[in-house]
Amino acid sequence: MLTADRTVHTTCPYCGVGCQMDLHLRDELILRVTGRHDNQVNFGNLCVKGRFGLDFVHASDRLRQPLLRTSREQAFSPTSWEAAMDALARRLLAIRDQHGPDSIAMLTSAKCTNEENYLMQKLARGLIGTNNVDHCARLCHSSSVAGLATTLGSGAMTNSIADIQDSDVMVVIGSNTTEAHPVIALQMKAAVRARQTKLILIDPRRIELAQFAHLHLRHIPGSDVALINAMANVILAEGLENQAFVAARTEGFEVFRQSVQEWSPDRAAAVCGVPPELIVEAARLYAGAKAASIFWAMGITQHTTGTDNVKALSNLALLCGHVGRPGTGLNPLRGQNNVQGACDMGGLPNVFPGYQPVTSEEARRKFADGWGVSYDRLSSTVGLMVTQMMDAVLDGRVRAIYILGENPMLSDPNLHHVEQALRQVEFLAVQDIFLNETAQMADLVLPGVSFAEKEGTFTNTERRVQRVRKALEPPGEARPDWAVLSDLAGRMGAPWGYRSASEVFDEMARLTPSYAGMSHARLEAGGLQWPCPSPDHPGTQILHAQKFSRGLGLFSPVAYRPPAEEPDEAYPLILSTGRVLFHWHGGTLTRRSPGLDSLAPQAEVEIHPQDASRLGIADGQTVRVRSRRGQLVAAARITQRSPAGTVFMTFHYAEAAANLLTSSAVDPIAGIPEYKVSAVWVEPLAENVPT
Ligand code: SF4
């Protein structure tokens, strides 16, 4: 058996928990992975993906050379970096000069480092002159950011993983935490077991956390606002609100109070399907706790009412004063390893790094000075969101798309629409570590490197900035993405001249107040949570302790709106989508891990026994799932996990991509698609029917 000759301390590349791990290495091989104990994030734990799922780093189909083709009908040919970078710079400049800066759109990456995200948006804004820059946060937590920014003034998780142990009551709503954020789920389960913390689980599915729940409210998908408003109604009717907190720290209370008067538990029960007495019990428990926290994920955010859902939760926390103290707070659990960082770095169409608005003259002057570009180069027009970019291609506004480490051909809703746009776009460049579904459609593909082959930082779900360290040499000619972007800028007329990721970080920190006190050197000693405004600042574990980022917390009344698409005769079932423990997002990484793939090798449709019996479907039988957008074939899994009337699929399998079915209806404020509610038809197929 090989033994390791060195270890490298780094950050897990999968989810937003940001577990700290040691890679045990020999030569250019990762032999094993262990969790580190010297931190406040994972306390030595790792989940199955972190411990056993890093095979993708050594996959034989890693991209090793740039690939270029002169027309989409041709096959790719390997080419030199020189030729590839010249082609990229030439095409981007030509399209900008002919059609204007806003004819180019760029996707930054929640899988790449802060430094790389910073440079990608700097390229878009400072060199090309467009704010058409976005990334997959649009598809997971843009509604959390929009909702919390409105009510509290900051869109991030308010509290820390470590203070889960300080909660008397936890509300987990729309988060399958054990599968999506497994190491945080360990903390939750430990709190229930060791501290008798009471868990209120609000989720249509009987997920694993249900075994630990004091109450499980199984509501109808898309009815969150009705349910949460009813909890507020009970709290006010019974005088359980924290009057001192409301008076001292909030505004807008009276309008909010009136808005929930009509949401009696009985009325809400008719909408959300939860018995009124359970709503009352949950409300009393939350309001009566000394310290109660709320955690959510995409079950709350991926709705056309995503921003409203988040505002409703925020109202509840403000009403009871469960903010700004240990064990309280509003805690959106971020999905990808660096989705928090990609947002912080300005990988969004409306803000520079640190959420400084592009519409602010002061911010534009600051970044023009910091980047050494003319003030006129920086556009004050808010750019396109991911969900608007494809339409903009189809109507001719966008001519070129440059994508860093994202795969919209699996992750976006309504995939036929995405495919049509990517076929039509004049120039498509993709920078990634694999020739994924989107890269296969590109004109130019650049080989980036994995987390194990570069230096940088990721920011986890609790705003903790942590180091990523180079452990291995890149395969073939692959290059760190920050170095590729720096090279490209030089060819486009701006010799940035960075010699290291650390230099990129230093420039970013000078321009980003919440990161101003950090540097790679300081992060060597351990992660720091923003805001960290000066080199002697210890970082911030709990936001809004004395005062909210916006001053007073804002009650924000929300009216219930049903989902954009509801079941009907033609499509009688609700489809909801999510994850399993063993896979990650589009499966690009985990499906290259034989161990993980063997545990969840195929796409399944979870269906309730009543629906299965009515439709004549047997367990394991092949079924066809159809929506108004498309269809796919998968295996039926008959289970009471999902309630009757609802089917569930994961989005990990390219051969049965759930997003062929999902609706492109979006939240009007955040632009997030309604992945959690689509109307579908399910029918059994005779085995071996051609698909
Ligand atoms: Fe990695 Fe997330 Fe698992 Fe931790 S919980 S090991 S960060 S995938």
Side-chain angles (χ1 to χ4, degrees):
M1 198 176 93
L2 284 176
T3 51
D5 58 15
R6 66 192 193 282
T7 60
V8 171
H9 171 188
T10 192
T11 303
C12 178
Y14 278 112
C15 87
V17 180
C19 292
Q20 294 301 286
M21 52 172 46
D22 279 330
L23 305 181
H24 299 256
L25 305 144
R26 185 172 190 96
D27 303 324
E28 289 301 303
L29 270 183
I30 302 172
L31 296 185
R32 72 192 173 98
V33 183
T34 51
R36 288 183 68 100
H37 293 263
D38 57 349
N39 62 78
Q40 294 288 298
V41 176
N42 54 311
F43 308 96
N45 298 303
L46 292 176
C47 81
V48 65
K49 291 188 287 289
R51 193 175 296 279
F52 301 113
L54 301 187
D55 311 56
F56 71 87
V57 171
H58 301 307
S60 58
D61 60 344
R62 285 281 305 273
L63 287 167
R64 287 156 197 274
Q65 265 186 292
L67 303 173
L68 185 61
R69 56 183 167 189
T70 47
S71 87
R72 301 271 174 91
E73 285 70 46
Q74 289 182 340
F76 284 115
S77 298
T79 190
S80 65
W81 273 104
E82 196 58 28
M85 296 305 290
D86 265 353
L88 180 56
R90 189 167 29 79
R91 292 298 300 270
L92 291 178
L93 286 174
I95 289 172
R96 182 193 73 180
D97 293 345
Q98 194 175 350
H99 301 288
D102 289 337
S103 64
I104 297 173
M106 297 175 54
L107 295 185
T108 65
S109 173
K111 294 227 75 67
C112 288
T113 61
N114 285 322
E115 293 77 357
E116 290 156 352
N117 279 280
Y118 172 77
L119 292 186
M120 194 74 174
Q121 63 83 39
K122 178 178 174 180
L123 189 88
R125 297 190 158 109
L127 258 173
I128 293 170
T130 182
N131 288 313
N132 288 344
V133 52
D134 204 3
H135 71 287
C136 69
R138 180 70 47 209
L139 310 175
C140 61
H141 269 295
S142 54
S143 40
S144 296
V145 174
L148 292 183
T150 303
T151 60
L152 311 183
S154 164
M157 183 165 159
T158 61
N159 285 53
S160 298
I161 295 169
D163 78 25
I164 286 174
Q165 300 307 317
D166 296 320
S167 295
D168 303 307
V169 170
M170 273 182 299
V171 176
V172 176
I173 179 167
S175 161
N176 184 0
T177 322
T178 45
E179 306 213 47
H181 298 88
V183 167
I184 288 182
L186 290 179
Q187 294 290 317
M188 292 174 171
K189 291 191 254 186
V192 171
R193 283 201 190 104
R195 293 201 62 250
Q196 281 74 50
T197 299
K198 290 199 165 62
L199 168 62
I200 302 170
L201 178 66
I202 306 178
D203 199 294
R205 296 173 73 220
R206 191 171 290 147
I207 54 177
E208 198 215 359
L209 274 185
Q211 296 168 35
F212 296 80
H214 182 77
L215 297 174
H216 182 188
L217 280 56
R218 300 185 77 182
H219 63 314
I220 294 167
S223 64
D224 304 82
V225 163
L227 172 57
I228 302 162
N229 277 352
M231 286 177 67
N233 172 294
V234 172
I235 290 165
L236 285 164
E238 299 191 1
L240 303 175
E241 73 273 22
N242 185 334
Q243 290 172 359
F245 186 91
V246 169
R249 303 255 341 241
T250 71
E251 61 182 328
F253 171 69
E254 190 49 35
V255 180
F256 167 70
R257 190 184 64 76
Q258 287 170 19
S259 75
V260 296
Q261 261 176 356
E262 58 182 330
W263 281 102
S264 68
D266 284 336
R267 181 178 171 207
V271 175
C272 71
V274 176
E277 57 277 12
L278 269 187
I279 299 175
V280 172
E281 200 179 341
R284 288 175 181 161
L285 202 54
Y286 178 77
K290 282 204 195 82
S293 48
I294 302 177
F295 296 85
W296 71 89
M298 291 182 275
I300 276 292
T301 60
Q302 289 179 334
H303 292 277
T304 46
T305 56
T307 305
D308 286 351
N309 292 347
V310 172
K311 286 179 178 174
L313 291 172
S314 183
N315 291 336
L316 205 58
L318 292 176
L319 190 59
C320 300
H322 286 319
V323 197
R325 293 177 287 117
T328 66
L330 288 152
N331 300 297
L333 299 175
R334 308 303 295 257
Q336 298 264 18
N337 54 322
N338 197 34
V339 69
Q340 180 66 55
C343 292
D344 298 345
M345 294 300 108
L348 297 168
N350 58 336
V351 285
F352 291 109
Y355 306 95
Q356 298 168 81
V358 297
T359 50
S360 153
E361 183 181 332
E362 188 187 344
R364 289 198 306 281
R365 291 210 180 279
K366 172 179 172 177
F367 280 90
D369 289 348
W371 291 343
V373 300
S374 82
Y375 172 73
D376 297 339
R377 170 64 57 78
L378 299 182
S379 170
S380 60
T381 307
V382 171
L384 296 169
M385 304 179 195
V386 167
T387 40
Q388 297 168 325
M389 287 178 186
M390 300 304 158
D391 285 337
V393 169
L394 292 171
D395 66 24
R397 280 175 293 150
V398 165
R399 306 284 182 133
I401 304 183
Y402 179 16
I403 298 174
L404 172 65
E406 297 240 333
N407 187 7
M409 273 301 295
L410 268 192
S411 57
D412 282 18
N414 195 358
L415 289 179
H416 287 310
H417 181 69
V418 178
E419 183 177 359
Q420 193 188 356
L422 293 184
R423 286 202 188 290
Q424 188 169 316
V425 73
E426 195 176 315
F427 179 66
L428 175 62
V430 174
Q431 190 166 320
D432 210 292
I433 65 172
F434 292 109
L435 194 64
N436 62 31
E437 289 74 10
T438 307
Q440 287 167 29
M441 300 180 70
D443 300 283
L444 173 66
V445 179
L446 300 172
V449 303
S450 80
F451 82 107
E453 296 139 2
K454 62 185 168 191
E455 300 285 338
T457 53
F458 294 154
T459 304
N460 80 349
T461 186
E462 52 166 7
R463 302 169 275 104
R464 191 182 298 273
V465 186
Q466 305 185 108
R467 285 281 280 115
V468 176
R469 296 181 180 87
K470 181 176 173 182
L472 301 168
E473 289 304 319
E477 298 173 17
R479 291 182 180 174
D481 299 278
W482 68 264
V484 175
L485 290 164
S486 191
D487 181 346
L488 177 62
R491 289 167 200 265
M492 293 177 73
W496 287 345
Y498 303 110
R499 288 164 301 177
S500 66
S502 167
E503 287 186 0
V504 179
F505 191 99
D506 290 344
E507 177 186 302
M508 177 278 295
R510 280 196 295 276
L511 294 166
T512 309
S514 51
Y515 281 67
M518 301 185 205
S519 63
H520 278 206
R522 195 174 170 205
L523 293 168
E524 282 302 315
L528 287 165
Q529 287 170 280
W530 64 254
C532 176
S534 59
D536 56 353
H537 192 283
T540 307
Q541 288 187 320
I542 299 174
L543 297 179
H544 316 301
Q546 307 303 329
K547 142 170 155 24
F548 289 101
S549 305
R550 67 178 296 281
L552 294 173
L554 178 66
F555 281 103
S556 202
V558 283
Y560 166 72
R561 282 183 289 123
E565 188 176 63
E566 293 192 281
D568 55 22
E569 230 169 79
Y571 298 95
L573 296 167
I574 294 173
L575 168 73
S576 198
T577 63
R579 298 182 187 150
V580 289
L581 172 64
F582 306 106
H583 282 306
W584 185 249
H585 282 233
T588 309
L589 307 183
T590 48
R591 296 200 73 199
R592 285 177 169 83
S593 172
L596 295 182
D597 205 39
S598 68
L599 292 164
Q602 64 170 358
E604 292 183 344
V605 187
E606 196 175 279
I607 185 164
H608 191 274
Q610 281 172 18
D611 294 321
S613 154
R614 189 167 43 79
L615 297 166
I617 294 169
D619 192 40
Q621 185 173 7
T622 308
V623 295
R624 189 189 308 278
V625 188
R626 270 195 288 121
S627 77
R628 290 183 175 83
R629 275 75 50 191
Q631 57 178 290
L632 56 80
V633 169
R637 179 63 53 222
I638 299 179
T639 166
Q640 296 197 355
R641 248 188 147 201
S642 284
T646 297
V647 295
F648 173 84
M649 286 193 74
T650 67
F651 41 67
H652 307 307
Y653 302 89
E655 65 276 22
N659 286 329
L660 288 166
L661 308 170
T662 48
S663 155
S664 44
V666 297
D667 177 291
I669 298 166
I672 193 168
E674 190 150 63
Y675 290 114
K676 296 299 181 198
V677 185
S678 305
V680 296
W681 168 273
V682 182
E683 62 192 345
L685 292 181
E687 297 299 337
N688 304 321
V689 166
T691 59

